[in-house]
Amino acid sequence: MATSGKKAPHTEHGRIQVTVSAQLRDGSLAPVGHARLLLLRGESDSSEPDLNELDAMIKRGLLVKHTHTGPDGRASFDQLPLRQDEISWYWVVLDNVTPFEADSKLFCRLAAVSRADRIGTADIALAPEVKLDVMFYTNGVKRSREHGLVGDTLWVTTHYLRHRGGGTPEPHRPIPGMRATPEPPLSAIDSSGYESRAVLGAVGRVDAAANFFMEPRGLDGQTPNPSDGAYFRVAEAVMVDSSTPVPVNGDITTHAARTEAEFRPAIAHWTLIRNSSEALSFNNYKQFLDHLFCEEGGSKTPEARAFRSLEKRRFLPFNDTDSYRVLKAATEAYVMVNCGVLSEPWDFRPVDDADYLDRRDLPEDKVLADELLNRYLTAADPDIKTLPYLALIRSKLPDVRIHIDHDHAHDVELCAGFIRDRLQNPCLMELIWSYWQEEGMLVQSMNAITRRFQNVRSNANGTGVDPLANMEIDMLRPLNNLLWGYVQDEQHRLTVVRRNYEYDHHYGIRLDGKAVRNFHPADSRSKFIEAFHNLLRQLMPFYRQDDDTTVKADAFPILNALKEVHLILSQGAHNQYGDLPSTSRIEMLMQQWMLARPEFREFLPTRLMVAHPEPWMDRVDAMKKVQGWSDTSVAHFRDLAMFGEMLLLSIRTTHWTDMYEPNDAFAWARFWRPQAQGYMHAYRAVTGVDLTAEVPNPKLEAMMPSELLRQRLEGKQRVA
């Protein structure tokens, strides 16, 4: 086919080059990297738009494109069409906050592109008056000198000189929308990055430098990501000299140690919580069952005596279920005896407790039993002493009587009132222990086994082959009676839906899956995850300060965070708070014990060389592998359950709302340091969210753990 011979019209294009810089106090220019720039069509005679006019221009469709500057502070808008015999005008707008300017000034520059000159320019110069105050400390004493010495601690404080109404700049810190990240060798003292320090280790010049980030505004209507900000670098040169030796006669010894915290009576209570939680661990529970049923003299322990009493009052309406009935009664007796931390004789272990407190740099020369009884427990009634928090609740209900008749402690009581044992000796357990065990697939693993025991195919695989179809259960024959009783008793166990509603009522967290669809809670603790993770995040700068022997760590942020979490937890201490956690604990301990039986080692392809801390864990990990579930080891979920229970019990049962001095919060942070850092590590291993990172991610940290787990599982399946 012949062509007309005409060429298509050639469209010429122009370009606008942009430079964004920050003029520092010494007159130098620092490039502003990753600055977000908007390009809008304009006119030569138009005045510089304000925020309202800019918004109107964007709504009229005058926004052409956007880009970011590189590390050198430069960017360009390319492929801009040129008008015939006309000049094209554009507004270049900086889309980042500038809070150091009066009223957070909007930076706009008008640029022109013509056919004669195809390259237009726009320079944006910021004037952030940022000041880095440099100080030197020797052995914790501030030194007034221009140069530092080797061994000094370099302390850098960031100040902004913010303009107010065009007058003299005033010191101001911190500024919303900005944050600082110090460069090595400096390390941040707190999460804001406005204070940092470093130990001077060599002679020469050291740059005390920090990168300052300005958050994006989102002027074009897009939701800004706070971490996607512009940045510029500020540095102060520091000269380091060698220290002058001073001749000293005799032997000199030095020792630096952290400041020991004041002893607080609550430490005795926290020690009992720690000991009680360890007493309820699976390994101790398994040892109790082995001692009770397999060894002579097993009936002489307090748990065994409680079991003998309880066994006579626990029956099941099924035939041939004695093995399961005995296991259930023994587990209930074990939990009853070990969960009440306030019962005498106190569960103190003088040697172990003193060693633990000494490692935490807490006073260990007190008699904890005396401190608990004489200084911590509070009188709720003339003859009853209980926790200060429970005593406060009791004082709100002076008209409600207390049942004291021990001879009829098991009778049905229809009158309103407190049961004395619940007030004087509360069974302290947290439902979060069950939540993390369930997220670790303990319950789902046992459900899959019981379905296979009943020859029922799993619904999760649709019409496909059940992953357990070819696994012969003949090796489970010694457990048949236990599994029979377990299956028959299903109607009397807590359902996943019932537990899920209570997880949400206590902590605002819930499971994710087909079994818990159509979830409609009446009351949820929606702020718990955010508040609890904020508390954990406040601990990291505290620990960094506390490890510095020249600094007295500030515990006020921790006290405020503890008050917030305590208030949220107390709001959820209703409904089934006293009964459902203990019932769930009993059921899950039984599931762990059955999975730990040697028969399941043959039934499931376990990896014997993996050193799991508890013998049931390799069975659950093997089931997760067979079913294609999460490949994160259940050991991390066990850590979350164990450490989370200890932390929340200490927060829930301590009367934080009436404290204004940080002494108790200081002691709490030191006492629970292994548990807090263990929880944060396990949370990162399970969800991928690092609560110890210097730059927080509020959106991820406030997400439901179940959502994070689902996203990780879906990502794994996509990769597979």
Side-chain angles (χ1 to χ4, degrees):
M1 181 176 179
T3 61
S4 63
K6 295 181 179 181
K7 295 184 179 180
H10 176 67
T11 302
E12 298 187 19
H13 296 87
R15 178 175 61 183
I16 295 178
Q17 296 177 335
V18 186
T19 301
V20 183
S21 59
Q23 184 172 1
L24 305 182
R25 290 173 58 82
D26 61 359
S28 62
L29 293 178
V32 179
H34 205 68
R36 194 169 192 267
L37 301 172
L38 306 180
L39 185 69
L40 294 90
R41 295 187 183 90
E43 299 294 339
S44 62
D45 58 350
S46 61
S47 60
E48 182 174 320
D50 57 19
L51 284 173
N52 294 330
E53 293 169 342
L54 182 66
D55 183 61
M57 294 172 65
I58 293 175
K59 290 180 178 178
R60 294 203 310 269
L62 299 182
L63 178 63
V64 178
K65 59 176 66 176
H66 64 81
T67 188
H68 289 84
T69 60
D72 59 353
R74 300 180 183 275
S76 65
F77 293 100
D78 301 326
Q79 298 297 311
L80 301 178
L82 299 177
R83 298 181 183 180
Q84 188 72 24
D85 300 328
E86 292 185 12
I87 297 176
S88 299
W89 297 91
Y90 295 92
W91 282 107
V92 178
V93 182
L94 175 65
D95 191 18
N96 290 93
V97 298
T98 56
F100 41 80
E101 296 286 346
D103 301 322
S104 192
K105 178 182 176 182
L106 180 67
F107 284 86
C108 300
R109 296 292 183 269
L110 189 63
V113 183
S114 65
R115 297 179 63 85
D117 187 1
R118 300 181 183 180
I119 299 178
T121 60
D123 294 333
I124 298 177
L126 310 181
E129 296 200 36
V130 179
K131 181 182 179 182
L132 298 181
D133 284 344
V134 177
M135 295 168 285
F136 303 101
Y137 286 84
T138 303
N139 296 327
V141 179
K142 183 178 178 181
R143 303 298 182 183
S144 299
R145 52 174 178 254
E146 295 183 359
H147 294 175
L149 301 179
V150 174
D152 282 357
T153 296
L154 172 65
W155 196 281
V156 179
T157 304
T158 302
H159 289 285
Y160 292 104
L161 302 181
R162 190 177 188 183
H163 289 274
R164 298 287 189 181
T168 304
E170 303 173 357
H172 183 90
R173 63 172 288 268
I175 293 184
M178 291 198 70
R179 70 179 189 277
T181 302
E183 291 185 358
L186 292 175
S187 60
I189 298 300
D190 53 21
S191 58
S192 66
Y194 289 97
E195 289 188 333
S196 54
R197 67 177 178 85
V199 177
L200 302 177
V203 175
R205 170 177 167 161
V206 175
D207 276 346
N211 287 293
F212 294 86
F213 291 83
M214 302 178 293
E215 295 182 359
R217 290 192 183 196
L219 296 173
D220 55 352
Q222 297 186 8
T223 302
N225 182 357
S227 63
D228 187 28
Y231 63 90
F232 60 91
R233 182 178 184 270
V234 178
E236 292 284 344
V238 176
M239 299 304 299
V240 184
D241 298 331
S242 61
S243 57
T244 303
V246 178
V248 179
N249 296 324
D251 296 331
I252 302 298
T253 60
T254 60
H255 175 70
R258 291 192 299 172
T259 304
E260 190 168 86
E262 175 189 355
F263 183 86
R264 307 303 300 164
I267 291 176
H269 172 46
W270 301 335
T271 300
L272 286 180
I273 290 177
R274 173 177 167 268
N275 293 345
S276 176
S277 296
E278 291 179 355
L280 280 174
S281 67
F282 174 79
N283 288 332
N284 290 335
Y285 163 67
K286 181 178 181 298
Q287 183 179 4
F288 157 69
L289 291 184
D290 293 342
H291 188 63
L292 179 65
F293 297 122
C294 305
E295 299 179 12
E296 295 183 2
S299 60
K300 297 180 181 180
T301 62
E303 296 90 344
R305 289 193 294 270
F307 162 66
R308 300 304 179 196
S309 174
L310 196 62
E311 185 187 20
K312 300 174 183 178
R313 295 183 283 107
R314 293 292 185 265
F315 299 98
L316 296 175
F318 315 114
N319 296 330
D320 195 23
T321 56
D322 279 349
S323 297
Y324 176 76
R325 182 182 69 85
V326 170
L327 174 63
K328 188 173 184 180
T331 306
E332 183 179 356
Y334 181 81
V335 172
M336 286 172 52
V337 171
N338 289 282
C339 76
V341 300
L342 298 182
S343 59
E344 295 190 58
W346 315 111
D347 189 18
F348 289 116
R349 308 159 191 174
V351 176
D352 293 341
D353 295 341
D355 289 344
Y356 183 84
L357 294 177
D358 184 55
R359 291 193 298 271
R360 306 280 78 76
D361 287 321
L362 294 168
E364 79 283 356
D365 57 345
K366 303 288 185 179
V367 179
L368 296 180
D370 294 343
E371 295 292 327
L372 179 74
L373 185 62
N374 300 324
R375 295 186 58 195
Y376 187 71
L377 298 183
T378 304
D381 277 289
D383 59 341
I384 296 178
K385 277 194 169 185
T386 188
L387 300 174
Y389 168 66
L390 296 180
L392 173 66
I393 303 304
R394 172 65 179 131
S395 67
K396 294 182 178 181
L397 303 168
D399 56 320
V400 180
R401 66 189 182 90
I402 294 180
H403 308 317
I404 306 179
D405 188 0
H406 295 287
D407 295 334
H408 301 88
H410 302 292
D411 292 346
V412 177
E413 177 59 64
L414 300 179
C415 298
F418 290 110
I419 299 175
R420 172 172 176 163
D421 195 56
R422 291 287 182 91
L423 182 64
Q424 190 174 15
N425 182 29
C427 191
L428 300 181
M429 284 186 294
E430 281 291 333
L431 192 60
I432 199 170
W433 185 94
S434 299
Y435 170 79
W436 283 119
Q437 298 288 0
E438 195 152 5
E439 289 286 19
M441 296 299 181
L442 167 66
V443 180
Q444 294 87 331
S445 297
M446 199 64 195
N447 289 344
I449 291 170
T450 55
R451 282 194 301 268
R452 177 66 182 89
F453 182 77
Q454 300 171 78
N455 197 29
V456 178
R457 185 177 61 188
S458 172
N459 294 328
N461 297 281
T463 59
V465 178
D466 191 306
L468 302 181
N470 292 327
M471 291 188 178
E472 296 298 332
I473 62 174
D474 182 67
M475 64 283 297
L476 301 180
R477 188 177 300 167
L479 290 179
N480 275 3
N481 189 252
L482 274 174
L483 291 174
W484 169 261
Y486 182 83
V487 171
Q488 291 292 88
D489 196 36
E490 182 176 1
Q491 58 185 308
H492 297 138
R493 285 197 300 275
L494 296 171
T495 64
V496 61
V497 174
R498 190 171 178 187
R499 286 193 301 270
N500 197 40
Y501 274 105
E502 202 63 13
Y503 296 148
D504 186 73
H505 181 71
H506 281 202
Y507 316 112
I509 55 179
R510 59 185 73 107
L511 303 172
D512 184 83
K514 297 179 180 178
V516 289
R517 299 259 173 94
N518 301 319
F519 186 71
H520 303 291
D523 183 23
S524 175
R525 307 278 82 73
S526 59
K527 299 296 183 182
F528 170 78
I529 284 292
E530 180 181 353
F532 185 47
H533 287 174
N534 172 62
L535 169 62
L536 296 177
R537 181 165 286 285
Q538 294 292 343
L539 289 171
M540 295 312 299
F542 173 87
Y543 291 145
R544 284 192 287 269
Q545 293 180 13
D546 199 32
D547 287 339
D548 187 347
T549 58
T550 66
V551 176
K552 176 71 171 180
D554 181 16
F556 267 109
I558 297 174
L559 175 61
N560 294 329
L562 285 168
K563 288 183 178 181
E564 182 182 6
V565 178
H566 171 77
L567 182 62
I568 296 173
L569 287 175
S570 61
Q571 291 170 352
H574 302 89
N575 289 9
Q576 307 166 65
Y577 170 71
D579 298 302
L580 193 140
S582 59
T583 303
S584 179
R585 176 69 66 94
I586 291 169
E587 293 176 357
M588 292 188 182
L589 280 175
M590 293 168 57
Q591 293 168 355
Q592 292 176 351
W593 185 82
M594 285 189 280
L595 286 172
R597 293 281 298 176
E599 292 82 358
F600 279 107
R601 184 181 63 235
E602 307 300 328
F603 177 65
L604 292 169
T606 58
R607 297 181 176 180
L608 301 179
M609 299 305 293
V610 179
H612 289 93
E614 295 175 1
W616 58 273
M617 292 181 176
D618 57 350
R619 280 67 158 173
V620 174
D621 280 347
M623 179 64 74
K624 291 162 71 173
K625 187 74 173 179
V626 169
Q627 300 283 357
W629 297 336
S630 168
D631 56 357
T632 304
S633 174
V634 73
H636 296 301
F637 291 90
R638 192 288 304 255
D639 289 346
L640 288 170
M642 178 176 62
F643 297 144
E645 179 178 54
M646 295 184 192
L647 293 172
L648 294 189
L649 276 176
S650 66
I651 299 171
R652 184 193 295 275
T653 59
T654 304
H655 188 20
W656 293 107
T657 54
D658 198 34
M659 297 180 185
Y660 299 97
E661 294 289 340
N663 300 342
D664 286 80
F666 190 99
W668 183 91
R670 279 192 175 179
F671 186 93
W672 296 109
R673 180 169 184 171
Q675 291 78 8
Q677 293 188 304
Y679 186 94
M680 287 185 275
H681 167 73
Y683 195 81
R684 184 207 57 78
V686 166
T687 66
V689 176
D690 188 0
L691 299 175
T692 66
E694 290 192 7
V695 180
N697 191 328
K699 182 178 179 181
L700 278 180
E701 292 174 11
M703 283 183 65
M704 291 276 183
S706 55
E707 295 181 20
L708 296 170
L709 292 171
R710 173 171 50 80
Q711 292 177 5
R712 295 195 88 188
L713 180 60
E714 291 173 351
K716 170 194 168 186
Q717 293 172 344
R718 285 195 299 268
V719 172

